[in-house]
Amino acid sequence: MTNFTSAVKKLYIHPLLWLVMAIGIATAHFMELIMLLLIITIHELGHGVMAHYFSWRVKRISLLPFGGVAEMDEHGNRSLREEFWVIASGPLQHAWLVLAGWLLLKGGVISGDVYVLFLQLNLMVLLFNLLPIWPLDGGKLISLLLSLKFNYLKAYEITLVSSLFLLILFHLSILLIAPFHLNLWIVLSFLYFSLWTDWKQRRYNFMKFLLERYYGNSHQFRDLKPLPIDGDETLITVVERFQRGVKHPLVVLEQGTEVGKLDEYELLHAFFAEKMTNAKTKDLLYLY
C-alpha cells in the first residue's frame, strides 16, 4: 500500500488533458474517454508502484492528452532484473483489468457493450505500448535485451535507430489505415520528437550513466564481467565499453599479456576527478 500511495502522489495531469476531457463531453465520448484515462493511469501506476518497490527514484507519472509517461530518475545502473519488472509491470496491469471487467459483466454491473469497449481499449493500449519503438515499453524491452550483449552506448544507439525505422513503417501503415485519425498523428509526433531528442542527448545520457556509476552504489551489481583492455587504450574508449547490469574488473594487457588489474571505480575516478579522459589505461597502473 505504501508503494501505491507513493506512486499516486507522483501523478501529474497535463493541463491540456482537461481540454480533451471537455471536448469528450461535448462530443458525447465521455464514457470512452474516462475508460481510456483509467486504463492508462493504472498502466502507468503499475510502472510507478514497481519502481517504488525497488526503491527507484520516481520523478513523476504524467497523464498526457495522448497517453501517459512514468519518468524515472535512473540512468541504467539498476540490475537488468529490476529494469525488466519495472517495464513489464505496466503491460501486466491489463490482465487484471480485463478480469475485473469480466467479473463486473457477470455481476450485471456493466452491459455487454460497455465490456466490449473496455476490452478493446485495453487491447489497444497494451498492443500499442508493446510496439518495439523507444520510448514505449516494447522499445525499452528491446533495449534491455540488447544490453545483454552490447555496451550501454551501442545498445542505446541501436535501439534508437531501429525504433526510427520501425516508427516510419508504423507511420506508413497509419497513412493507409487511418490517415485522418488526429490522436494517432499526435502520438506519432510525440514519438518522432522523443527519438530525435534522445538521439541528440545520447552522449549526455551516457555521461549520466557513468556519473551515476561513479557516485552511486556500484556494489549492487551481483555479476562481474572482466573487461580485457589494451594498455594503450584511452580512458574514454574504455568507459564506452561499459555494460548495464554488471561490474567490470579491468584486465590491462600489453601485447596480449596481462600486466595488471584495475577496479572500474579507479578508472572512473581518474576519468571524472582527475580529468584524465585521454590518458592511457596503463598509466593508471602506476597511480593506484
Side-chain angles (χ1 to χ4, degrees), residues 73-92:
D73 193 16
E74 303 289 340
H75 307 290
N77 283 301
R78 295 289 185 159
S79 72
L80 298 185
R81 181 185 66 85
E82 284 187 17
E83 294 207 34
F84 170 79
W85 283 113
V86 171
I87 296 168
S89 59
L92 285 175

Side-chain angles (χ1 to χ4, degrees), residues 42-44 46-47 85-94 126 137:
I42 292 176
H43 178 106
E44 298 303 331
H47 294 303
W85 283 113
V86 171
I87 296 168
S89 59
L92 285 175
Q93 303 309 308
H94 298 279
L126 174 62
D137 295 337

Side-chain angles (χ1 to χ4, degrees), residues 50-230:
M50 187 60 72
H52 275 290
Y53 174 77
F54 287 124
S55 300
W56 283 29
R57 297 168 305 221
V58 181
K59 292 172 66 176
R60 68 180 181 180
I61 301 171
S62 303
L63 300 180
L64 309 173
F66 50 83
V69 179
E71 302 175 57
M72 311 294 175
D73 193 16
E74 303 289 340
H75 307 290
N77 283 301
R78 295 289 185 159
S79 72
L80 298 185
R81 181 185 66 85
E82 284 187 17
E83 294 207 34
F84 170 79
W85 283 113
V86 171
I87 296 168
S89 59
L92 285 175
Q93 303 309 308
H94 298 279
W96 75 262
L97 278 172
V98 171
L99 177 60
W102 181 80
L103 291 174
L104 291 175
L105 172 66
K106 292 302 180 182
V109 179
I110 60 175
S111 66
D113 290 341
V114 172
Y115 175 70
V116 169
L117 176 60
F118 186 68
L119 189 63
Q120 289 173 342
L121 291 175
N122 262 286
L123 191 61
M124 179 187 72
V125 174
L126 174 62
L127 294 180
F128 177 75
N129 273 280
L130 289 179
L131 289 174
I133 298 172
W134 184 270
L136 301 176
D137 295 337
K140 291 179 179 178
L141 288 173
I142 293 297
S143 178
L144 206 61
L145 187 63
L146 290 171
S147 296
L148 294 173
K149 182 177 181 181
F150 299 108
N151 60 58
Y152 173 92
L153 191 58
K154 189 171 183 179
Y156 191 28
E157 290 179 342
I158 292 175
T159 300
L160 295 178
V161 172
S162 62
S163 292
L164 177 60
F165 175 74
L166 292 169
L167 180 57
I168 292 172
L169 291 180
F170 180 61
H171 191 166
L172 293 174
S173 67
I174 293 301
L175 289 175
L176 295 174
I177 299 170
F180 304 110
H181 200 298
L182 179 59
N183 286 345
L184 284 175
W185 280 100
I186 294 174
V187 171
L188 285 170
S189 300
F190 168 74
L191 292 176
Y192 278 119
F193 178 76
S194 296
L195 287 174
W196 175 69
T197 302
D198 283 351
W199 180 260
K200 284 182 60 180
Q201 296 182 345
R202 68 191 188 283
R203 298 293 304 192
Y204 171 69
N205 290 331
F206 172 61
M207 284 298 147
K208 288 199 293 187
F209 162 73
L210 292 178
L211 277 168
E212 189 178 71
R213 203 173 178 106
Y214 175 47
Y215 289 109
N217 297 321
S218 59
H219 64 268
Q220 66 179 301
F221 299 130
R222 298 179 181 178
D223 298 327
L224 299 179
K225 186 174 183 179
L227 191 64
I229 55 177
D230 190 283

